[in-house]
Amino acid sequence: MVQKIFAIALVVLLSGCASTYKHSELKQASEQLDPSRGVLIAVPEDGWYGDTRYQRSGQMTANAALAAFSKNAKKVDLTDRCEGAECLEEIDSQEYGYFVEPIILHWEDRATEWSGKPDRIEIQLIVYSTATNRQVANSSFTGKSSWFTFGGDHPQDLLAKPADEFVRGLYR
């Protein structure tokens, strides 16, 4: 009987240990990306929640996109010289075949370990072809940390898994 109660408690405890993600295709990928073509990723504006602006969250988001694209493309770089689709006017399409515009829609860092309120993010990734200046894909994902943490979890910890899955799908 004690073993059964322990097993049930362990299952309940472990089910609260996983972060959850939801992915939404805003524009289905219109083409498979070519891994031999370079990718340029813009650094988005920092995220916020209420009156709190989260310093360097834009850089962390760009870094997560960089890591995901680097697993699939031969050349991947970041830029903070321009913002949004205006970057398309400045990109050398021979060097970069794709431009990625990450947008932080929501960034919420909570003291989950004592409040029980999870960290949350919502990120939109828009991929453009630099040859045509048209969107190739447009997707967003949300992430929510588990309610059971050992401390030290942050919204940026929710970026890698959904970014990797989205980018891997673009190169299938």
Side-chain angles (χ1 to χ4, degrees):
M1 181 67 169
V2 172
Q3 290 175 335
K4 189 174 189 178
I5 292 172
F6 178 74
I8 291 171
L10 185 61
V11 167
V12 168
L13 181 64
L14 292 177
S15 67
C17 291
S19 297
T20 57
Y21 302 95
K22 182 179 174 190
H23 181 250
S24 300
E25 292 284 338
L26 303 174
K27 178 185 182 336
Q28 188 85 13
S30 59
E31 64 184 72
Q32 180 178 336
L33 300 190
D34 179 351
S36 69
R37 297 179 72 200
V39 178
L40 185 63
I41 301 168
V43 176
E45 182 179 321
D46 286 335
W48 68 94
Y49 179 70
D51 293 335
T52 304
R53 182 171 284 304
Y54 293 99
Q55 299 294 321
R56 300 200 30 81
S57 58
Q59 185 67 50
M60 290 182 268
T61 301
N63 287 344
L66 175 83
F69 276 95
S70 292
K71 294 175 185 174
N72 297 279
K74 288 187 178 187
K75 177 183 175 110
V76 184
D77 291 314
L78 297 179
T79 184
D80 59 4
R81 294 188 319 253
C82 57
E83 290 184 22
E86 74 181 42
C87 291
L88 288 167
E89 298 169 16
E90 302 176 17
I91 297 173
D92 176 1
S93 62
Q94 297 301 312
E95 186 175 7
Y96 299 105
Y98 306 103
F99 170 67
V100 179
E101 177 187 10
I103 303 168
I104 300 174
L105 302 171
H106 186 88
W107 191 280
E108 185 177 348
D109 192 1
R110 299 298 203 122
T112 305
E113 43 292 338
W114 64 265
S115 71
K117 295 180 180 179
D119 297 331
R120 295 177 187 268
I121 59 166
E122 184 174 3
I123 307 296
Q124 182 177 2
L125 292 174
I126 305 170
V127 181
Y128 296 90
S129 166
T130 60
T132 64
N133 289 353
R134 298 181 73 158
Q135 283 188 20
V136 174
N138 186 342
S139 186
S140 71
F141 59 85
T142 59
K144 181 174 82 169
S145 66
S146 68
W147 60 268
F148 181 77
T149 70
F150 294 108
D153 289 350
H154 299 286
Q156 60 267 28
D157 300 329
L158 299 169
L159 293 168
K161 183 177 179 181
D164 283 346
E165 288 175 5
F166 169 67
V167 172
R168 187 173 36 249
L170 295 173
Y171 285 93
R172 287 187 240 161

